Amino acid sequence: IPEWKVTTVDYYIDRYKEGDYEYQGFIVEIGAERVTNYYIFKIIIPILLILSISWSVFWIDRSQIEAKANITIVALLSLIAYNFIIDEDLPKLPYLTFMDCFILLSYFYTGTATLLCVYSFLRKLKSGKDLSVVDRYAQFIGPISYFAILLILLTYFYNLEATKGFFLGSKFLS
């Protein structure tokens, strides 16, 4: 399987007795771990690129609301389209993995960039006040809070996997 690397293969013959019957079987144990480079280079880095484009609008002049809104909306739509593309590469599991949380967090932050741009513009239209303070705070608080939450999620899922004894690549990034 292309996404997996076989780490160990053990085999042995097992004999056991159950009730009045004696059984003999050939047991094969295969240890494998998921190759994580695929997920890093094909999923995580492109999503981070789309997210950074959406947050780059806070360095554009605040009077360019059309450009800012277009960039953030296109980034959000790109993220949604990209999610449809990578959906086949992710296993369908009944619980959230790190990758699921990463994608959801990226959706949230891309949408937040759009909402902040619209909010800044509407407040300027209503009050006539200069709201460049929203852009200044968003330039730094947005990316810092995103990576802080990402680090917390990474630590949580890493510790969760370590305590359960699973391979790092098995459920961690899938």
Side-chain angles (χ1 to χ4, degrees), residues 51-117:
L51 184 67
S52 64
I53 289 170
S54 74
W55 278 83
S56 69
V57 298
F58 297 110
W59 278 271
I60 297 174
D61 184 65
R62 64 193 169 279
S63 65
Q64 301 294 321
I65 185 63
E66 295 86 11
K68 292 170 79 168
N70 284 338
I71 290 170
T72 57
I73 290 170
V74 167
L76 185 59
L77 292 175
S78 297
L79 193 58
I80 291 168
Y82 191 69
N83 192 33
F84 280 112
I85 292 169
I86 64 171
D87 191 46
E88 294 176 8
D89 294 335
L90 301 175
K92 313 300 183 256
L93 302 171
Y95 51 86
L96 287 177
T97 63
F98 171 75
M99 189 63 71
D100 297 326
C101 292
F102 171 74
I103 292 169
L104 288 172
L105 186 66
S106 299
Y107 274 132
F108 176 76
Y109 270 79
T110 304
T112 301
T114 304
L115 293 175
L116 283 175
C117 286

Side-chain angles (χ1 to χ4, degrees), residues 12-27:
Y12 54 92
I13 296 175
D14 189 23
R15 294 177 190 219
Y16 62 95
K17 189 172 183 178
E18 189 174 302
D20 293 337
Y21 299 101
E22 191 170 311
Y23 297 96
Q24 179 176 343
F26 185 72
I27 309 293

